[in-house]
């Protein structure tokens, strides 16, 4: 029972990580689109970041107990319970990627504005820097392997996500110090 409880908390942490990335993307997108919005919607962000993972982890735990209550739940003989976690994570990755593209589009429009000084080369350098900063902040690197089966790309996936995942943490600390 202890091993299963630890795995449930582990899966909750993984899912909450993806949904907090989504919250960061939503928050940044709302800041750029609605510049003078008096509402900050922090309660909604809390419900997205902690609530949605809670719902799906409870559902996963129940389906796991009913369909595949063997061992420590670290193997997946039936695909059903695993997809209860996998589909919401894929949805959060896809929505975050769409938000990322939208923010890049907004930044590009702002850089092309006649009010922004500088030549084309400096504007594209600023866009490139912004894009490189946003990639780990939004977790865009997760989209590379999101739709591949785990067994076919596992070795490359681990290396890729560990490298860019560490940049994600470092960028967040860097941004918080700048603000």
């Amino acid at each position: 029972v202890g091993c299963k409880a630890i795995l449930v908390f582990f899966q909750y942490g993984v899912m909450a990580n993806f949904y907090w990335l989504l919250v960061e993307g939503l928050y940044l997108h709302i800041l750029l689109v609605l510049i003078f919005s008096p509402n900050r919607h922090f309660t909604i962000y809390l419900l997205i970041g902690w609530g949605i993972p809670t719902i799906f982890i409870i559902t996963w735990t129940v389906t796991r107990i009913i369909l595949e209550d063997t061992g420590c739940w670290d193997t997946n003989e039936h695909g059903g319970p695993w997809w209860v976690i996998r589909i919401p994570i894929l949805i959060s990755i896809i929505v975050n990627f769409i938000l990322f593209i939208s923010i890049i589009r907004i930044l590009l429009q702002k850089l092309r504005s006649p009010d922004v000084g500088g030549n084309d080369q400096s504007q594209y350098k600023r866009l490139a820097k912004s894009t490189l900063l946003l990639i780990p902040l939004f977790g865009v690197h997760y989209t590379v392997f999101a739709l591949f089966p785990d067994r076919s790309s596992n070795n490359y996936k681990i290396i890729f996500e560990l490298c860019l995942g560490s940049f994600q943490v470092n960028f967040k600390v860097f941004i918080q110090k700048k603000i």
Side-chain angles (χ1 to χ4, degrees):
V1 173
C3 179
K4 291 176 183 177
I6 289 171
L7 192 67
V8 167
F9 284 117
F10 173 75
Q11 294 295 347
Y12 178 75
V14 169
M15 186 175 266
N17 176 52
F18 282 102
Y19 275 87
W20 277 107
L21 285 173
L22 179 62
V23 167
E24 289 174 1
L26 286 170
Y27 183 71
L28 185 59
H29 191 266
I30 288 173
L31 282 177
L32 287 173
V33 173
L34 303 173
I35 297 172
F36 298 109
S37 173
N39 293 334
R40 295 292 180 221
H41 310 290
F42 289 121
T43 306
I44 295 170
Y45 297 145
L46 286 173
L47 289 175
I48 292 171
W50 297 119
I52 292 175
T54 302
I55 292 168
F56 284 105
I57 291 300
I58 290 171
T59 305
W60 175 73
T61 304
V62 170
T63 56
R64 203 58 204 216
I65 290 170
I66 293 170
L67 297 177
E68 194 177 3
D69 193 11
T70 57
C72 187
W73 294 353
D74 56 346
T75 60
N76 298 307
E77 293 175 13
H78 299 24
W82 179 242
W83 285 105
V84 172
I85 292 176
R86 184 100 173 146
I87 287 175
I89 288 175
L90 288 173
I91 290 170
S92 73
I93 290 170
I94 291 167
V95 170
N96 225 9
F97 185 72
I98 292 168
L99 290 172
F100 171 75
I101 297 297
S102 177
I103 288 175
I104 295 300
R105 184 184 50 82
I106 292 169
L107 289 174
L108 190 59
Q109 287 174 350
K110 290 186 183 284
L111 285 176
R112 288 186 177 164
S113 167
D115 299 336
V116 178
N119 58 14
D120 285 340
Q121 186 177 7
S122 67
Q123 290 176 353
Y124 288 114
K125 280 184 182 179
R126 281 193 270 174
L127 179 64
K129 286 180 186 178
S130 301
T131 304
L132 288 175
L133 181 69
L134 290 175
I135 287 172
L137 185 67
F138 273 73
V140 174
H141 58 282
Y142 291 118
T143 59
V144 174
F145 291 103
L147 300 176
F148 286 111
D150 284 336
R151 290 176 188 89
S152 67
S153 61
N154 210 14
N155 292 335
Y156 300 113
K157 180 180 179 179
I158 289 173
I159 294 168
F160 190 75
E161 288 185 0
L162 284 176
C163 291
L164 287 177
S166 65
F167 284 119
Q168 180 182 21
V169 173
N170 291 333
F171 274 128
K172 288 179 184 178
V173 170
F174 175 75
I175 289 171
Q176 288 173 352
K177 286 183 179 179
K178 287 287 187 180
I179 294 174

